[in-house]
Amino acid sequence: QTVTVEYSDIEGGEGEPWFGTGCIDDDPLFEDPASGDFDLTWTGYPEPDSTKSPCIDTGDPTSPPDPDGTIADMGALYFSQETGVSHGTSDIPVSVSLFQNRPNPFNRLTVLGFTIPVSGNVELSIYDLYGRLIHTLISDYISSGYGEVVWDASEVNTGVYVCRLEADYCQAVRKLILTK
């Protein structure tokens, strides 16, 4: 079996048979890798200079953009070109979570918040107590982090509903109470 690595910074990897499309062989300019801090750095931000990590804006161009709207950075962490701050592990949720809707009970509109630890396909759906699908709010590729969506329940009857969040092999459910 042959393995090819693509869109990665593999310092010292140039010339290896597994070195694929989009790979670079540069110092990634991590914050402090000896201490486990793999945040990308750019001390001269926003001026493009030698302090900019070569991993910034050089990820797979077919990937969804970083949360700041720029081309995906290489690696698990990204450097925000809105704030000039690298987003480390404290900003990445560790599990799939579906928060209790607010308000609950609600009349017509409610907000559903969730976290996704790894970018991927996500589905957020509303079901009645018989398990019938009422509405799919999200069915798309979602970047890791926090998200929220508003459900307008004006077309459904008063009652108890279940919201289900599915992301890869994880799922979470919450009970919603609609009053009119």
Side-chain angles (χ1 to χ4, degrees), residues 92-97 114-120 122 142-147 165-168:
I92 300 173
V94 295
S95 64
V96 170
S97 297
F114 58 90
T115 60
I116 305 295
V118 178
S119 300
V122 172
I142 302 290
S143 295
S144 64
Y146 176 80
L165 173 70
E166 289 184 272
D168 293 323

Side-chain angles (χ1 to χ4, degrees), residues 24-145:
I24 57 176
D25 179 8
D26 286 321
D27 179 352
L29 301 178
F30 291 135
E31 186 69 41
D32 188 8
S35 299
D37 185 350
F38 295 100
D39 285 329
L40 302 178
T41 60
W42 186 359
T43 56
Y45 173 82
E47 296 299 319
D49 60 15
S50 62
T51 68
K52 179 181 177 184
S53 168
C55 296
I56 296 172
D57 291 340
T58 54
D60 185 346
T62 64
S63 293
D66 283 339
D68 62 7
T70 61
I71 297 170
D73 297 337
M74 287 185 184
L77 311 177
Y78 83 97
F79 185 90
S80 173
Q81 293 179 57
E82 292 175 333
T83 63
V85 176
S86 184
H87 287 268
T89 55
S90 62
D91 292 337
I92 300 173
V94 295
S95 64
V96 170
S97 297
L98 176 60
F99 304 110
Q100 188 62 56
N101 63 306
R102 59 187 198 281
N104 191 42
F106 68 102
N107 179 353
R108 196 175 80 90
L109 298 176
T110 191
V111 178
L112 300 153
F114 58 90
T115 60
I116 305 295
V118 178
S119 300
N121 293 316
V122 172
E123 190 164 293
L124 184 67
S125 300
I126 306 294
Y127 295 85
D128 66 15
L129 290 181
Y130 297 104
R132 294 180 294 215
L133 177 65
I134 302 299
H135 193 84
T136 299
L137 301 170
I138 298 173
S139 182
D140 206 353
Y141 186 93
I142 302 290
S143 295
S144 64

Side-chain angles (χ1 to χ4, degrees), residues 10-25:
I10 307 171
E11 191 174 8
E14 187 67 54
E16 296 294 329
W18 43 264
F19 203 77
T21 304
C23 289
I24 57 176
D25 179 8

